[in-house]
Amino acid sequence: MRGWQVIKKGLAIKKGLAILIVGLFCLAPLPASAVAVDDRPLPDAAQEARARLIMAGIRCLVCQNQSIEDSNAPLARDLRVLVRQQVAAGKNREEIEAFLVSRYGDWVLMSPPFNPRTLILWLFPPGLLLGALVFLWYRSRQTPQARPRPLDASEQARLDAILSGATSDRDADRGEQNR
Amino acid sequence: MRPILWVPLLLFAALVMALTIGLFLKPREIPSAMIAQPVPAFDLPPLWMSGEGLQSSDLAKGEAVLLNVFASWCAPCRIEHPFLMELADEGIPLYGLNYKDKPEDALAFLGELGNPYRRIGADRDGRVGIDFGVYGVPETYVINGQGQIAYKHIGPILPQNQDQLRQAIKKAAQESPANEKASE
């Protein structure tokens, strides 16, 4: 009984720890995105949310692997101001992204667009998968599973003898060696 | 050896080659989307009260020009400055875009090192810089006589970049109507 209680208590601690960890993970993204955005948000919450969404998809060209939403670079700040202005002016995401691409190229978008220059990038992984599947299918057709040869009369007799227990395993081994 | 057994080795060799090429690419140098595009429309105030500012029309007067993006806070700008002075002495039209700088600092910078620019526009908030696709200072644009951006150099113009820039200027000058008239 005591042992069971110890286990139960241990489980309760684990459960509490799990809740704590999950809670921490839920909290973690909040301060991270709040730190870099030092400039003034738009007064309209819906517009600000749209602006933030667009910012998250625009690459900071100075720090390269951060979006302008979470970069502290001065250029990222300027681009945030620009995105907010454009959102406030009623521009949609496509228009704002098109403007930035016309200035900085496709690279300014965090996820590369699908166009002739990015064909290899987008088509290589599914192409590789497809190629591998075709290869496997082709191979499986070329070498059908080898069927075991049916036993001849003497082998069948030996097998019957082993199964009926008339010969010991050692005899069977010896028979194998003799072959 | 069956020929098919060479396939993995060849694939591996191709991968090694692709990665080796990748090692020598410069991810910091983003190819400009503005090449062959007309200069964006802008009208910037001067650095000092009495001077003239810089407008897009100044860059499309029928001859090839250089537009140099500089700032007093930009250390690499000091490296390329003597070369800019040299170009100005040779009579190459050079214009300045003073990027996100305090006018008094910019004036002190030019007072110390010399002013190679025919005109300077003060881009206090960096908005015109964004229109040009500036993402680091210094940057130098070669603009042909039609006011199209022909070439862009990112970062300071180091001795090993000077020839390439001169060639780009020469090429842009050949594309310019003013030069065509002169050669006729």
Side-chain angles (χ1 to χ4, degrees):
Chain A
M1 269 296 130
R2 239 193 105 102
W4 167 239
Q5 275 169 348
V6 169
I7 291 170
K8 218 173 151 186
K9 203 174 161 190
L11 279 177
I13 290 172
K14 266 195 188 153
K15 202 173 157 193
L17 199 68
I19 289 172
L20 185 72
I21 288 171
V22 170
L24 281 177
F25 271 110
C26 291
L27 280 176
L30 292 179
S33 62
V35 166
V37 184
D38 48 350
D39 30 68
R40 231 173 314 141
L42 293 169
D44 182 342
Q47 280 188 343
E48 173 66 13
R50 279 209 300 134
R52 288 290 193 96
L53 211 64
I54 295 167
M55 289 174 201
I58 302 295
R59 187 187 302 278
C60 165
L61 294 122
V62 182
C63 15
Q64 304 220 335
N65 286 329
Q66 275 184 307
S67 74
I68 59 168
E69 199 207 1
D70 53 21
S71 166
N72 283 313
L75 180 64
R77 200 196 143 271
D78 294 347
L79 289 175
R80 283 198 295 272
V81 170
L82 182 98
V83 169
R84 286 204 172 96
Q85 280 171 354
Q86 305 255 345
V87 167
K91 294 275 178 69
N92 64 26
R93 183 179 188 139
E94 284 72 33
E95 288 169 319
I96 296 171
E97 286 184 350
F99 169 77
L100 288 170
V101 166
S102 75
R103 296 309 181 215
Y104 291 103
D106 286 342
W107 210 72
V108 78
L109 303 175
M110 289 296 270
S111 62
F114 187 84
N115 62 31
R117 285 189 58 208
T118 56
L119 221 55
I120 290 180
L121 179 74
W122 282 105
L123 294 187
F124 185 70
L128 194 68
L129 184 69
L130 200 72
L133 287 177
V134 166
F135 175 74
L136 287 177
W137 173 78
Y138 181 74
R139 241 179 70 125
S140 72
R141 272 174 55 104
Q142 268 218 327
T143 52
Q145 283 225 316
R147 280 259 183 84
R149 178 176 53 86
L151 299 178
D152 64 26
S154 69
E155 284 167 337
Q156 190 62 50
R158 263 181 65 219
L159 179 64
D160 290 344
I162 292 166
L163 288 177
S164 64
T167 5
S168 70
D169 285 354
R170 201 179 296 157
D171 289 338
D173 285 347
R174 199 178 302 139
E176 186 66 39
Q177 279 164 11
N178 288 342
R179 279 171 62 85
Chain B
M1 208 167 164
R2 282 197 299 156
I4 192 144
L5 291 176
W6 287 96
V7 168
L9 183 67
L10 290 177
L11 281 177
F12 180 71
L15 182 72
V16 168
M17 248 160 64
L19 292 177
T20 310
I21 292 168
L23 270 183
F24 292 98
L25 295 178
K26 291 182 188 150
R28 293 235 145 237
E29 286 185 12
I30 301 159
S32 176
M34 296 294 287
I35 300 294
Q37 299 294 313
V39 166
F42 69 91
D43 185 1
L44 285 175
L47 271 181
W48 52 91
M49 297 297 273
S50 58
E52 289 166 312
L54 188 67
Q55 300 169 11
S56 23
S57 59
D58 294 330
L59 303 176
K61 289 205 163 146
E63 57 175 350
V65 298
L66 284 182
L67 178 72
N68 179 246
V69 184
F70 75 104
S72 65
W73 46 262
C74 149
C77 293
R78 290 173 177 268
I79 298 172
E80 67 175 12
H81 205 88
F83 179 63
L84 297 179
M85 294 300 288
E86 198 181 300
L87 289 179
D89 284 346
E90 289 169 25
I92 289 169
L94 183 59
Y95 293 88
L97 185 78
N98 185 231
Y99 183 74
K100 298 190 79 173
D101 207 354
K102 288 191 189 126
E104 57 269 29
D105 290 349
L107 289 174
F109 176 86
L110 295 174
E112 181 193 336
L113 298 169
N115 179 9
Y117 307 111
R118 293 196 177 178
R119 284 189 180 193
I120 299 167
D123 186 18
R124 295 290 304 265
D125 59 3
R127 185 60 184 77
V128 173
I130 290 175
D131 277 343
F132 268 92
V134 171
Y135 67 93
V137 190
E139 285 185 12
T140 306
Y141 295 81
V142 178
I143 297 158
N144 69 19
Q146 283 110 35
Q148 290 167 336
I149 295 171
Y151 179 81
K152 174 185 180 182
H153 181 81
I154 299 156
I157 305 158
L158 300 173
Q160 61 264 37
N161 312 129
Q162 290 176 1
D163 276 347
Q164 207 179 358
L165 190 77
R166 281 181 187 280
Q167 269 162 22
I169 298 168
K170 211 178 277 177
K171 200 164 157 264
Q174 280 159 5
E175 291 164 1
S176 302
N179 281 66
E180 276 160 27
K181 266 178 219 148
S183 62
E184 267 167 16

